[in-house]
Amino acid sequence: MIVTPPMVKVWAEKNNIKYLQPEKLDSNFIEKLKIENCKLFVVAAYGKILPKQILEMPEYGVLNVHPSLLPKFRGPSPVEGAVLEGISKTGVSIMKLDEEMDHGPILKQITYNLQQTTKSSVLEKELAQLGGKLLAEVIPDWIDWKIKTKEQNHDEATYTRKIEKLDGLLDLDGNSTENYRKYLAYDIWPRTYFFTEKNGKNIRVIIK
């Protein structure tokens, strides 16, 4: 629970590269960003919807690296959502952001075969690597106007929600498959747990 700088900031400081790290996406930050005159923005694992002012700022728009095969698993927890559902295939989507959540057109997608025993911590790293490589392939063609975007089928969209601590609570009398998927999905946070009584007290048992 110690506040630490993101990896990008650590890398930028080490390599003497300028960075901006706003506490809020307010008008003050937007003006600072505008001065930089960037041609392209890239978003990854950012939990807020960007305002229209930022989306319209760069010449080539704002690209998002999303760890699912959109329109499936939109929202803040696509990795955990895929594990919880027990699907056999997920992947990464490179998309152009608009003003709605994970709603914009697709530039390119890549599929990843998901094992039924894969934990979220492993899947998250695998998809991050896959997404980084895919992004590096896409950007040169995107800025040369060689990529045509494809509209998502919004009727097939599914959504994830922000994970809460209570989500890790297991029902030991419940479905064993669902409990196991919870264990796989929540291994980073909040982890799975149950309560048992000992010496008249309720004890929380965390599954490690």
Side-chain angles (χ1 to χ4, degrees), residues 51-73:
K52 188 176 181 180
Q53 284 177 282
I54 291 180
L55 293 174
E56 294 180 345
M57 202 177 292
E59 179 182 353
Y60 298 102
V62 184
L63 300 185
N64 180 38
V65 187
H66 187 80
S68 82
L69 296 175
L70 291 169
K72 302 296 184 183
F73 301 108

Side-chain angles (χ1 to χ4, degrees), residues 3-205:
V3 176
T4 56
M7 292 171 67
V8 172
K9 180 179 178 180
V10 173
W11 180 84
E13 288 179 329
K14 183 179 178 181
N15 291 277
N16 198 30
I17 293 173
K18 185 178 179 180
Y19 62 86
L20 297 172
Q21 187 181 19
E23 291 185 11
K24 297 179 180 179
L25 295 181
D26 55 17
S27 57
N28 183 43
F29 170 71
I30 290 174
E31 286 303 313
K32 288 180 180 179
L33 198 56
K34 194 181 294 183
I35 292 171
E36 298 302 319
N37 195 30
C38 298
K39 300 297 183 184
L40 174 70
F41 294 157
V42 174
V43 174
Y46 190 69
K48 295 182 179 180
I49 294 177
L50 296 180
K52 188 176 181 180
Q53 284 177 282
I54 291 180
L55 293 174
E56 294 180 345
M57 202 177 292
E59 179 182 353
Y60 298 102
V62 184
L63 300 185
N64 180 38
V65 187
H66 187 80
S68 82
L69 296 175
L70 291 169
K72 302 296 184 183
F73 301 108
R74 292 176 177 176
S77 55
V79 172
E80 293 86 351
V83 174
L84 283 172
E85 198 161 304
I87 59 174
S88 59
K89 287 186 178 181
T90 184
V92 177
S93 303
I94 308 295
M95 56 168 292
K96 186 179 181 185
L97 279 185
D98 60 17
E99 292 181 87
E100 297 184 48
M101 183 176 62
D102 301 325
H103 176 275
I106 303 294
L107 279 67
K108 199 169 184 179
Q109 292 180 315
I110 190 168
T111 300
Y112 179 89
N113 292 322
L114 182 58
Q115 303 298 318
Q116 298 304 299
T117 55
T118 301
K119 294 180 178 181
S120 284
S121 57
V122 174
L123 182 59
E124 188 177 83
K125 290 177 182 177
E126 292 282 329
L127 295 184
Q129 293 285 339
L130 205 60
K133 290 178 181 178
L134 187 62
L135 182 68
E137 293 172 10
V138 163
I139 287 177
D141 288 339
W142 176 247
I143 62 177
D144 283 339
W145 307 108
K146 293 179 181 178
I147 295 179
K148 290 185 178 180
T149 59
K150 181 182 178 182
E151 190 73 16
Q152 294 186 45
N153 185 344
H154 304 299
D155 293 334
E156 295 183 357
T158 61
Y159 295 87
T160 63
R161 59 178 177 78
K162 187 177 179 180
I163 298 167
E164 299 177 357
K165 192 172 184 178
L166 190 60
D167 292 327
L169 179 62
L170 296 178
D171 177 6
L172 299 185
D173 295 320
N175 183 286
S176 58
T177 300
E178 290 180 5
N179 279 341
Y180 180 60
R181 288 179 184 167
K182 272 190 173 187
Y183 159 73
L184 297 173
Y186 299 141
D187 74 313
I188 302 174
W189 189 87
R191 296 188 295 183
T192 43
Y193 59 92
F194 63 91
F195 289 96
T196 187
E197 191 174 302
K198 185 177 181 181
N199 299 327
K201 293 182 180 180
N202 244 359
I203 304 296
R204 185 166 71 122
V205 181

